Amino acid sequence: MKEATKTVEIVVNGKPMKARVDQPLLQTLLDEDVYVPHYCYHPALTPAGNCRMCLVEMEKSAKPIASCAMPAADGMVIRTDTPKVRKMRKGVMEFLLINHPLDCPICDQGGECDLQDQAMGYGLDRSRYQENKRAVENKDFGPLIKTIMTRCIHCTRCIRFATEITGVPELGATGRGETMEVGTYVEKALTSELSGNMIDLCPVGALTSGPYAYKARPWELEKTESIDTMDAVGSAIRIDTYGSEVMRILPRLNEDVNEEWISDKTRFACDGLRRQRIDRPYVRQNGKLMPVFWDDAFTAIAERINTVDGGRIAAIAGDMADCESMMALKDLMTAIGSPHTDCRQDGAKLDPSNRSGYLFNTTIQGIEHADACLLIGTNPRLEAPVLNARLRKRWTMGGFPVAVVGPGADLTYDYQLLGSGADVLKSIASGHHDFAKVLKAAERPMLILGQGALTRDDGAEILGLARKIAEGRGMIDAQSGWNGFNVLHTAAARVGGLDLGFVPGKGGRDTSGVLDGAGDGSIEVVYLLGADEIDTDRLGDAFVIYQGHHGDRGAHRAHVILPGAAYTEKNATYVNTEGRVQQAQRAAFPPGDAREDWTVIRALSDVLGQPLPYDDLKMVRGRMVDANSVFLNVDEITPAPWGDFGKEGEPSSAPLRSPIDNFYMTDPISRASATMAACTEQLGGGTGKKTGTDG
């Protein structure tokens, strides 16, 4: 158990208050709503004391103190708004503005700039500086970050973020004083999957978004709070729209999930929402897809489905499908007599019968309480960069040995590579491996099982081995409530689909069985709900219905295309990898004739003569609660009781691999993004590839 944090009594502006000794004085003041201007300080970074804007008076101190670098002490008497303090801040502000260009009207940071805001309170009405201003050449940080380094005030937030949070220390400072410059020394693109967060951290306009440059002003944008679906973490985001166009995506603070970070794919792939969109229904006629009206598309589907036995119809849900649409499609398949439904389009051998067997049971925030970790068949840096940052955060605290069974890669923290084959897992499960002793000695050990281990033919056997490790190495403690067994998903739809039972019914086929059946003719109709990651060549002569928002792989193979809505265009429910029920909000309307996905399925059910028993979003969500009570509690995690899952058997000796080769292109939206294409070209898709220095 964590010890209680020690507090001391201090007096601020004549008011007594308690302060924690483990945090800077500035943070205490901010927590107590005592405003102190600052630039270099950020609660997630180590204090630097660079800007000196946070100077305050302390009793018995001959000089003012930098409150960001001073811990609280018992009996401190602090004054934050005296004439002397204001005079000091005005002096600091004058120095900061000496070399700063007067380009606020064209700066993308305008309206969101800390320097601009504080200059209103502490700046002078005219400059006394008559000498030539300093000019600094802009740096090339790659396709994502635009630099105008003359604006830099040397707060070093970006440097500390790269070093401390991302673990990719590519930024540094050269020179001193006025000649100091922030850069990579040898010009190269930034390779971290979290680099875009530097834009948010920069308090001025030195670092801004390259793809967003000169597109809009902040006050012109409509802001909508929503949830990310580019991976299974469920990061809290804010979607900024200009009319019907998504201009940018920013992180929201959620300490339990993403803290205040998002991945570069989440932030920058939004330009893919405008490209390769399906904006009206299509029907294949004489080998060519032709645009039609909704009635024509539904009629073409009905004419085929009504001539086929329900047992020869199947449905596969894709990685970005929302829970409402999966619920509607499952009910429709049940109504027409089909047991062939599956949300595991990658073939992952997840056991839907026991919820604890497919959740990140520790929770993302719970990583900070673990004291040993085993990674199996996963590269969290590519699969979930924000979650990987949490692992690094725990590693930097110390006392957190990490071991990997699977691919070796730069994870941004030290680890022991135990091997790449499943034989290592057998040795750990039996207790003979040295790392088994490390896990057994830990108070709160954990493991993370990746999809790279579960999508193999022997995925069920590896799942069973992982369960044995969890049970035998002390990861399941009913007394304390600790559950260290974790599955890291890569698909936003996966946990929600499993919770709703979008899996094969009695006698039903999974994704592989559906594809085999389509190939040999035993499955005649396949409904793809945004399923683009399957091998479409295996669909044979089957009649394919594709419902989705982008003209990706599934649409190219389809006989009928039904236009759906992207995650920014609908009110929808998702469940993240830890089992947290989350709701995305509509920020823009779908283009053309496209509609929210569950409404399309509901309208189709009428034409098929199997009308679904709900007509609005509230009724659909009520049906989801009937299917699984976890949907009652939005933004909450319902703990899952431990149980039996996985299979006994001898796993293959083939090495474990991560399911992601190219981080920047994993779904239809990112594959349509010009920005992600530029990242792939310049940076490569994974770690250890192109860095930007190789020409």
Side-chain angles (χ1 to χ4, degrees):
M1 296 292 291
K2 292 180 69 176
E3 295 183 6
T5 304
K6 184 181 178 182
T7 61
V8 294
E9 294 283 345
I10 64 173
V11 178
V12 179
N13 299 330
K15 178 183 176 183
M17 59 180 63
K18 292 185 180 291
R20 289 169 47 179
V21 298
D22 64 339
Q23 67 180 16
L25 173 62
L26 175 57
Q27 189 60 51
T28 297
L29 298 175
L30 296 175
D31 290 344
E32 295 292 333
D33 294 326
V34 179
Y35 177 69
V36 177
H38 57 279
Y39 294 114
C40 67
Y41 177 76
H42 190 278
L45 307 174
T46 55
N50 292 332
C51 73
R52 319 307 287 184
M53 198 66 188
C54 67
L55 294 173
V56 297
E57 281 192 85
M58 183 174 70
E59 193 175 78
K60 299 180 181 179
S61 174
K63 298 188 293 184
I65 64 169
S67 56
C68 71
M70 176 69 71
D74 196 39
M76 265 187 175
V77 179
I78 302 296
R79 291 182 290 275
T80 67
D81 198 25
T82 64
K84 184 178 180 180
V85 168
R86 291 189 63 84
K87 185 178 180 181
M88 290 185 296
R89 291 172 184 168
K90 285 179 178 288
V92 172
M93 178 61 67
E94 187 173 16
F95 274 113
L96 290 176
L97 293 176
I98 278 177
N99 287 308
H100 199 82
L102 302 177
D103 61 348
C104 297
I106 64 163
C107 178
D108 270 334
Q109 194 80 357
E112 300 174 322
C113 179
D114 292 347
L115 186 67
Q116 196 177 50
D117 293 342
Q118 294 180 29
M120 295 297 292
Y122 301 100
L124 303 177
D125 58 352
R126 61 183 57 84
S127 175
R128 297 184 292 174
Y129 189 73
Q130 301 299 322
E131 288 74 18
N132 292 329
K133 290 198 173 192
R134 170 189 71 141
V136 181
E137 285 189 13
N138 296 333
K139 316 297 184 184
D140 184 3
F141 287 174
L144 302 180
I145 299 177
K146 177 182 174 65
T147 65
I148 301 182
M149 301 309 293
T150 302
R151 300 171 182 163
C152 179
I153 63 170
H154 303 160
C155 71
T156 70
R157 279 186 176 185
C158 56
I159 296 173
R160 285 175 284 150
F161 175 81
T163 303
E164 298 169 11
I165 306 299
T166 73
V168 188
E170 298 170 315
L171 282 179
T174 55
R176 297 189 61 171
E178 187 178 65
T179 63
M180 173 178 163
E181 293 188 24
V182 174
T184 56
Y185 191 67
V186 176
E187 190 169 289
K188 66 187 292 286
L190 301 181
T191 59
S192 169
E193 294 77 18
L194 298 167
S195 66
N197 294 288
M198 297 179 190
I199 298 167
D200 301 330
L201 287 173
C202 183
V204 296
L207 307 180
T208 56
S209 172
Y212 173 71
Y214 308 126
K215 294 288 182 63
R217 310 298 285 179
W219 54 86
E220 299 173 323
L221 303 175
E222 185 172 343
K223 303 166 179 63
T224 306
E225 296 185 350
S226 192
I227 298 297
D228 172 51
T229 64
M230 291 293 170
D231 54 30
V233 172
S235 300
I237 60 172
R238 194 188 83 195
I239 305 170
D240 289 359
T241 54
Y242 187 81
S244 61
E245 185 175 346
V246 176
M247 301 302 297
R248 62 180 185 176
I249 290 178
L250 301 176
R252 289 190 292 120
L253 179 66
N254 188 330
E255 294 289 358
D256 293 335
V257 181
N258 59 303
E259 297 180 284
E260 55 189 292
W261 321 123
I262 55 174
S263 75
D264 288 350
K265 183 167 55 182
T266 298
R267 184 185 298 269
F268 295 109
C270 58
D271 65 322
L273 293 165
R274 303 190 296 269
R275 297 177 173 87
Q276 301 179 21
R277 291 302 302 268
I278 303 172
D279 59 359
R280 63 181 306 176
Y282 289 84
V283 173
R284 192 175 296 277
Q285 300 173 356
N286 300 320
K288 295 181 68 176
L289 286 168
M290 304 298 294
V292 297
F293 295 107
W294 277 106
D295 289 345
D296 300 323
F298 287 161
T299 299
I301 295 172
E303 287 177 350
R304 186 58 187 269
I305 286 183
N306 290 336
T307 62
V308 178
D309 181 77
R312 303 173 77 88
I313 302 171
I316 301 172
D319 291 350
M320 303 182 82
D322 58 273
C323 292
E324 287 84 356
S325 61
M326 287 190 286
M327 186 77 264
L329 185 54
K330 175 178 169 57
D331 286 346
L332 180 59
M333 290 294 109
T334 301
I336 62 179
S338 170
H340 314 302
T341 55
D342 202 358
C343 63
R344 303 161 295 181
Q345 63 169 342
D346 56 4
K349 308 302 187 296
L350 292 160
D351 189 344
S353 64
N354 192 294
R355 196 166 188 255
S356 63
Y358 60 81
L359 291 186
F360 202 97
N361 294 284
T362 302
T363 73
I364 297 172
Q365 196 277 334
I367 292 172
E368 298 184 23
H369 303 293
D371 52 5
C373 182
L374 175 65
L375 303 178
I376 304 172
T378 180
N379 180 344
R381 180 175 172 182
L382 298 184
E383 298 167 29
V386 171
L387 186 144
N388 192 64
R390 188 84 71 155
L391 286 167
R392 172 175 167 79
K393 179 181 180 180
R394 176 62 186 91
W395 175 79
T396 60
M397 297 177 186
F400 188 60
V402 181
V404 171
V405 179
D410 180 7
L411 299 180
T412 72
Y413 42 85
D414 294 336
Y415 63 88
Q416 182 183 355
L417 184 60
L418 306 182
S420 60
D423 56 317
V424 180
L425 298 178
K426 293 171 60 179
S427 180
I428 297 173
S430 64
H432 295 118
H433 198 281
D434 288 343
F435 198 76
K437 300 177 177 66
V438 174
L439 294 174
K440 192 68 175 176
E443 290 185 16
R444 292 176 296 277
M446 62 178 289
L447 67 79
I448 300 178
L449 182 63
Q451 300 304 298
L454 295 170
T455 52
R456 299 157 39 118
D457 291 338
D458 60 350
E461 286 77 15
I462 292 178
L463 180 63
L465 270 176
R467 177 180 59 79
K468 285 184 177 180
I469 292 172
E471 293 172 343
R473 301 302 105 200
M475 295 182 186
I476 312 300
D477 189 345
Q479 187 174 357
S480 67
W482 178 258
N483 186 338
F485 179 89
N486 301 302
V487 174
L488 178 57
H489 293 276
T490 55
R494 188 62 49 80
V495 176
L498 294 170
D499 282 346
L500 292 171
F502 201 94
V503 293
K506 186 177 181 180
R509 298 171 180 251
D510 60 8
T511 296
S512 180
V514 169
L515 296 178
D516 289 340
D520 64 26
S522 56
I523 296 293
E524 297 185 34
V525 179
V526 180
Y527 198 120
L528 301 180
L529 182 61
D532 293 286
E533 314 307 322
I534 62 172
D535 184 0
T536 55
D537 292 336
R538 295 176 61 190
L539 289 170
D541 296 326
F543 184 84
V544 177
I545 306 159
Y546 178 81
Q547 181 178 338
H549 41 77
H550 276 73
D552 207 75
R553 300 164 183 166
H556 294 166
R557 174 60 182 79
H559 292 85
V560 180
I561 297 176
L562 305 176
Y567 74 102
T568 58
E569 300 160 358
K570 56 187 172 183
N571 298 307
T573 303
Y574 296 90
V575 186
N576 77 343
T577 192
E578 57 183 355
R580 185 184 302 273
V581 179
Q582 301 173 302
Q583 289 183 350
Q585 304 299 320
R586 182 174 60 208
F589 286 93
D593 291 335
R595 297 291 184 267
E596 293 192 23
D597 293 275
W598 79 265
T599 65
V600 174
I601 299 168
R602 173 62 181 87
L604 176 61
S605 71
D606 280 339
V607 179
L608 295 177
Q610 302 287 346
L612 298 176
Y614 30 79
D615 298 313
D616 56 38
L617 186 61
K618 184 179 179 180
M619 295 176 70
V620 179
R621 289 176 173 173
R623 172 70 182 96
M624 289 159 51
V625 172
D626 292 340
N628 196 324
S629 60
V630 301
F631 291 97
L632 272 173
N633 305 314
V634 178
D635 202 30
E636 293 183 12
I637 299 172
T638 304
W642 188 251
D644 192 26
F645 52 85
K647 280 186 180 180
E648 296 280 348
E650 190 69 22
S652 164
S653 59
L656 299 173
R657 298 281 185 243
S658 169
I660 294 180
D661 296 320
N662 183 353
F663 164 74
Y664 298 105
M665 291 188 175
T666 57
D667 55 81
I669 297 174
S670 58
R671 285 193 286 268
S673 166
T675 305
M676 296 295 98
C679 290
T680 299
E681 176 66 25
Q682 189 165 349
L683 303 172
T687 58
K689 296 184 180 180
K690 293 183 179 180
T691 62
T693 62
D694 52 4

